[in-house]
Coordinates of all heavy atoms in Angstrom, one line a residue:
T210 N 101.5 95.7 88.6 CA 101.7 94.4 88.0 C 101.5 93.3 89.0 O 101.7 93.4 90.2 CB 103.2 94.3 87.4 OG1 104.0 94.1 88.5 CG2 103.5 95.6 86.7
D211 N 100.9 92.2 88.4 CA 100.8 91.0 89.3 C 100.7 89.8 88.3 O 100.1 89.9 87.2 CB 99.5 91.1 90.1 CG 99.6 90.1 91.3 OD1 99.2 89.0 91.1 OD2 100.1 90.5 92.4
I212 N 101.1 88.6 88.8 CA 101.1 87.4 88.1 C 99.7 86.8 88.1 O 99.4 86.0 87.1 CB 102.1 86.4 88.8 CG1 102.3 85.2 87.8 CG2 101.6 85.9 90.1 CD1 103.4 84.2 88.3
S213 N 98.8 87.1 88.9 CA 97.5 86.6 89.0 C 96.5 87.3 88.2 O 96.2 88.5 88.5 CB 97.0 86.5 90.5 OG 95.7 86.2 90.6
P214 N 95.8 86.7 87.2 CA 94.8 87.4 86.5 C 93.6 87.8 87.4 O 92.9 88.8 87.2 CB 94.3 86.4 85.4 CG 94.9 85.1 85.8 CD 96.1 85.4 86.6
E215 N 93.3 86.9 88.4 CA 92.2 87.2 89.3 C 92.5 88.4 90.2 O 91.6 89.3 90.4 CB 92.0 85.9 90.2 CG 91.4 84.7 89.5 CD 92.5 84.0 88.7 OE1 93.7 84.2 89.0 OE2 92.1 83.0 87.9
M216 N 93.7 88.5 90.6 CA 94.1 89.7 91.5 C 94.0 90.9 90.6 O 93.5 92.0 91.0 CB 95.6 89.6 92.0 CG 95.7 88.4 93.0 SD 95.1 88.9 94.6 CE 95.8 87.5 95.6
C217 N 94.5 90.9 89.3 CA 94.4 92.0 88.4 C 93.0 92.4 88.1 O 92.7 93.6 88.0 CB 95.2 91.7 87.1 SG 96.9 91.6 87.3
Q218 N 92.1 91.5 88.0 CA 90.7 91.8 87.8 C 90.1 92.6 88.8 O 89.4 93.6 88.7 CB 89.9 90.5 87.5 CG 88.5 90.7 87.1 CD 87.7 89.4 86.8 OE1 88.3 88.4 87.1 NE2 86.5 89.5 86.3
I219 N 90.4 92.1 90.1 CA 89.9 92.8 91.3 C 90.5 94.2 91.4 O 89.8 95.2 91.7 CB 90.2 92.0 92.5 CG1 89.4 90.7 92.5 CG2 89.9 92.9 93.8 CD1 89.8 89.8 93.6
L220 N 91.8 94.3 91.1 CA 92.5 95.7 91.1 C 91.8 96.6 90.2 O 91.6 97.8 90.5 CB 93.9 95.5 90.8 CG 94.9 96.6 91.3 CD1 96.3 96.0 91.5 CD2 94.9 97.7 90.2
R221 N 91.6 96.2 88.9 CA 91.1 97.0 87.9 C 89.6 97.5 88.3 O 89.2 98.6 88.1 CB 90.9 96.2 86.5 CG 92.2 96.0 85.9 CD 91.9 95.4 84.5 NE 93.2 95.0 83.8 CZ 93.7 93.8 83.8 NH1 93.0 92.8 84.4 NH2 94.9 93.5 83.2
R222 N 88.9 96.6 88.9 CA 87.5 96.9 89.4 C 87.5 98.0 90.6 O 86.8 98.9 90.5 CB 86.8 95.7 89.8 CG 85.3 95.9 90.2 CD 84.5 94.6 90.4 NE 85.0 93.8 91.5 CZ 85.6 92.7 91.3 NH1 85.8 92.2 90.1 NH2 86.0 92.0 92.4
K223 N 88.5 97.8 91.5 CA 88.5 98.7 92.6 C 89.0 100.1 92.2 O 88.4 101.1 92.8 CB 89.5 98.1 93.7 CG 89.0 97.0 94.4 CD 90.1 96.4 95.3 CE 90.6 97.4 96.3 NZ 91.6 96.8 97.3
F224 N 89.8 100.2 91.2 CA 90.4 101.5 90.9 C 90.1 101.9 89.5 O 90.9 102.5 88.8 CB 91.9 101.5 91.1 CG 92.3 101.1 92.5 CD1 92.8 99.9 92.9 CD2 92.1 102.0 93.5 CE1 93.2 99.6 94.2 CE2 92.4 101.7 94.9 CZ 93.0 100.5 95.1
S225 N 88.9 101.5 89.0 CA 88.5 101.8 87.6 C 88.4 103.3 87.3 O 88.7 103.7 86.2 CB 87.2 101.1 87.3 OG 86.1 101.6 88.1
A226 N 88.2 104.1 88.3 CA 88.0 105.5 88.1 C 89.4 106.2 87.7 O 89.4 107.2 87.1 CB 87.6 106.2 89.4
Y227 N 90.5 105.4 88.0 CA 91.8 106.0 87.7 C 92.3 105.5 86.3 O 93.4 106.0 85.9 CB 92.8 105.6 88.8 CG 92.6 106.2 90.1 CD1 91.8 105.6 91.1 CD2 93.1 107.4 90.4 CE1 91.6 106.1 92.3 CE2 93.0 108.0 91.6 CZ 92.2 107.3 92.6 OH 92.0 107.9 93.8
M228 N 91.6 104.6 85.7 CA 92.1 104.0 84.4 C 91.4 104.8 83.2 O 90.3 105.2 83.3 CB 91.7 102.6 84.4 CG 92.4 101.7 85.4 SD 91.9 100.0 85.4 CE 92.6 99.5 83.9
P229 N 92.2 105.0 82.1 CA 93.5 104.6 81.9 C 94.6 105.6 82.2 O 95.8 105.4 82.0 CB 93.5 104.2 80.4 CG 92.6 105.3 79.9 CD 91.5 105.5 80.9
N230 N 94.2 106.8 82.5 CA 95.0 107.9 82.6 C 96.1 107.9 83.7 O 97.2 108.2 83.6 CB 94.3 109.2 82.7 CG 93.4 109.6 81.5 OD1 93.8 109.2 80.4 ND2 92.3 110.2 81.7
Q231 N 95.6 107.4 84.9 CA 96.6 107.3 86.0 C 97.0 105.9 86.4 O 97.9 105.8 87.2 CB 95.8 108.0 87.2 CG 96.9 108.5 88.3 CD 96.2 109.3 89.4 OE1 95.1 109.8 89.2 NE2 96.8 109.3 90.6
L232 N 96.3 105.0 86.0 CA 96.6 103.5 86.4 C 96.6 102.7 85.2 O 95.7 102.6 84.3 CB 95.6 103.0 87.3 CG 95.7 101.5 87.8 CD1 97.0 101.3 88.4 CD2 94.5 101.2 88.6
T233 N 97.8 101.9 85.1 CA 97.9 100.8 84.1 C 98.1 99.5 84.9 O 99.0 99.4 85.7 CB 99.1 101.1 83.2 OG1 98.9 102.3 82.5 CG2 99.2 100.0 82.2
V234 N 97.3 98.5 84.6 CA 97.4 97.2 85.2 C 98.0 96.2 84.2 O 97.5 96.0 83.1 CB 96.0 96.6 85.7 CG1 96.2 95.3 86.4 CG2 95.5 97.7 86.7
V235 N 99.0 95.5 84.7 CA 99.8 94.5 83.8 C 99.8 93.2 84.5 O 100.3 93.0 85.6 CB 101.3 95.0 83.5 CG1 102.0 94.0 82.6 CG2 101.3 96.4 82.9
N236 N 99.1 92.2 83.7 CA 99.1 90.9 84.3 C 100.4 90.1 83.8 O 100.4 89.7 82.6 CB 97.8 90.1 83.8 CG 97.7 88.7 84.3 OD1 97.0 87.9 83.7 ND2 98.4 88.3 85.4
S237 N 101.4 90.0 84.6 CA 102.7 89.4 84.2 C 103.5 89.0 85.4 O 103.5 89.6 86.5 CB 103.5 90.4 83.4 OG 104.7 89.9 83.1
P238 N 104.3 87.9 85.3 CA 105.3 87.6 86.3 C 106.3 88.8 86.3 O 106.6 89.4 85.3 CB 106.0 86.3 85.8 CG 105.0 85.7 84.8 CD 104.3 86.9 84.2
V239 N 106.8 89.0 87.4 CA 107.7 90.1 87.6 C 109.0 89.9 86.7 O 109.6 90.9 86.2 CB 108.1 90.4 89.1 CG1 108.8 89.1 89.7 CG2 109.0 91.6 89.3
E240 N 109.4 88.6 86.6 CA 110.6 88.3 85.8 C 110.5 88.7 84.3 O 111.4 88.8 83.6 CB 110.9 86.9 85.9 CG 111.3 86.4 87.3 CD 110.1 86.0 88.2 OE1 108.9 86.2 87.7 OE2 110.3 85.5 89.3
D241 N 109.2 88.8 83.8 CA 108.9 89.1 82.4 C 108.7 90.5 82.1 O 108.5 90.9 81.0 CB 107.7 88.2 81.9 CG 108.0 86.8 81.9 OD1 109.2 86.4 82.0 OD2 107.0 86.0 81.9

Side-chain angles (χ1 to χ4, degrees):
T210 74
D211 200 274
I212 193 174
S213 166
E215 292 81 11
M216 295 282 193
C217 288
Q218 183 179 9
I219 294 171
L220 197 156
R221 290 187 186 99
R222 184 170 65 247
K223 284 175 64 177
F224 302 106
S225 59
Y227 292 93
M228 298 176 66
N230 294 329
Q231 198 175 340
L232 173 62
T233 302
V234 179
V235 179
N236 177 206
S237 171
V239 62
E240 295 88 348
D241 294 343

